[in-house]
Amino acid sequence: MAYRKRRTKRISRCNKAYFEDEIGARLTLAMIHRKDGSRREKLETRAYNCPNCGGYHLTSEPERTHAA
Ligand SMILES: [Zn+2]
């Protein structure tokens, strides 16, 4: 398998919170739910790997799968 080099520039192309790995994203997710679970209208529910910046973001949208 090809070795994926990490970009030195950590500029997210997305206007979202950026996480280097899924663990960090999930931890933040858990914290959000613990802190703001009842206050926020739209809660992020999952972390996903972003093809644009290679990092992870949180989203409140349900996962889109190819499964019918
Ligand atoms: Zn991104």
Side-chain angles (χ1 to χ4, degrees), residues 12 14 16-19 25 46-50 53 55-59:
S12 173
C14 316
K16 294 181 150 199
Y18 168 89
F19 299 93
R46 67 187 181 87
Y48 69 97
N49 185 216
C50 177
C53 65
Y56 285 83
H57 301 305
L58 303 180
T59 182

Side-chain angles (χ1 to χ4, degrees), residues 7-38:
R7 284 179 198 138
T8 42
K9 268 193 187 176
R10 287 221 202 117
I11 296 174
S12 173
R13 293 177 202 175
C14 316
N15 238 348
K16 294 181 150 199
Y18 168 89
F19 299 93
E20 246 183 54
D21 51 42
E22 196 177 359
I23 304 292
R26 280 175 182 270
L27 278 175
T28 303
L29 202 57
M31 271 162 54
I32 287 173
H33 280 252
R34 208 180 283 181
K35 276 173 63 181
D36 306 321
S38 54

